[in-house]
Amino acid sequence: MKLMEKLWEKAKADRKKIVLAEGEEERNLQACEKILNNKIANVALVGDENNIKEKAKSLGLNIDGAEIFDPETSDKTEGYAKEFYELRKHKGMTLEKADKIVRDPLYFATMMVKMNDGDGLVSGAVHTTGDLLRPGLQIVKTKKGAKVVSSAFIMEVPNCEFGESGMLLFSDCAVNPNPTSEQLASIAISTAETAKSLCDMDAKVAMLSFSTMGSAKHELVDKVVEATKLAKEQRSDLDIDGELQLDAAIVKKVADLKAPESNVAGKANVLVFPDLQAGNIGYKLVQRFAKAEAIGPICQGFAKPINDLSRGCSSDDIVNVVAVTAVQAQNMTK
Ligand code: ACO
């Protein structure tokens, strides 16, 4: 069974309520019908109720099973404004401003998740990554133990012997432009956890660099060396090693030469990039040149699951991201 099919099955086994913040948008409405028909999750749509109903009707969609929350008329809005004010008053927030802000569908949807009126949030067919992440970072924040919110891509590379028969996780390819060593260590740990919880994979985490085990000296390498040390100290139960060049991380022959002592080199299935330039370019290279499927970016480290969509996404992509989010929500309550 392919990974996505497995995640659909997991999601169906214990249905969670996922909030779609862009509830008036066509692909979200199409996805909503598919999610309900396939019983993957319960759905809450955020937006203007009349508009949502009229659009669904004109598209010939049945979304009767979805709840609709209109920030302008909802009886939740006042309470959310008060809570948002409490959360942000140290940053100069006023009640008046908070009342305006939570009427923004993305902020309203994020407050729903914060206040346990939804188990997870998916958005980004219209909004940018930053638009979605900012309310999440301000309101839901990081889970206990995580230093940062970051992201992972599950890469499924066809006809490939690396990782788990071509399946590898790449991180961070979408969130942190230039993580510190501490943040990089946290990203490595979060990605190992994502590998386990979504892919049933025992992670072998390579901390990538242009140097292998001291072969080059540079402050950029020092950051990765320090991150590796911190991650190992924090989670001695995980297989994390570095610094490793990409070939030493995944090719056994190269690993035998360059890092013979390593328990990760040559068999890494989680690749942690030193910064966002490397990570974002790296996953797109593999996606395009190797025709790999890139599932993500899957956000990790939030206290409640929040996931982003690409603006070019299809309704099927939204269904899949909802399934991922629902499984993350299940794992958080375990
Ligand atoms: N984890 C946890 N908290 C964070 C993080 C993080 N990674 N980043 C910022 N924060 C917190 C800050 O501490 C701050 O908290 P506070 O307001 O309570 O003090 C709050 O979030 C806002 O911080 P800012 O630094 O003001 O946030 P910023 O406006 O820089 O936005 C963001 C943060 C959106 C994550 C930014 O770093 C960003 O745009 N990253 C790149 C996103 C991107 O463009 N990705 C590439 C495209 S995606 C793709 O190709 C798949």
Side-chain angles (χ1 to χ4, degrees), residues 88 91 129-130 133-134 137 142 148-149 174-177 280 283:
R88 303 296 297 171
K91 294 270 168 180
T129 304
L133 290 178
R134 233 165 264 120
L137 296 172
T142 49
V148 279
V149 166
V175 179
N176 296 278
N280 193 269
Y283 102 81

Side-chain angles (χ1 to χ4, degrees), residues 269-290:
N269 53 21
V270 171
L271 304 181
V272 174
F273 293 85
D275 66 30
L276 192 52
Q277 308 249 33
N280 193 269
I281 294 167
Y283 102 81
K284 284 177 195 279
L285 279 173
V286 175
Q287 183 186 33
R288 298 291 166 178
F289 282 105

Side-chain angles (χ1 to χ4, degrees), residues 120-157:
L121 163 64
V122 171
S123 182
V126 181
H127 293 86
T128 64
T129 304
D131 288 342
L132 168 71
L133 290 178
R134 233 165 264 120
L137 296 172
Q138 290 172 4
I139 296 167
V140 169
K141 304 197 170 156
T142 49
K143 71 174 184 188
K144 206 164 159 250
K147 288 256 174 339
V148 279
V149 166
S150 60
S151 72
F153 276 91
I154 301 169
M155 305 297 293
E156 290 189 297
V157 191

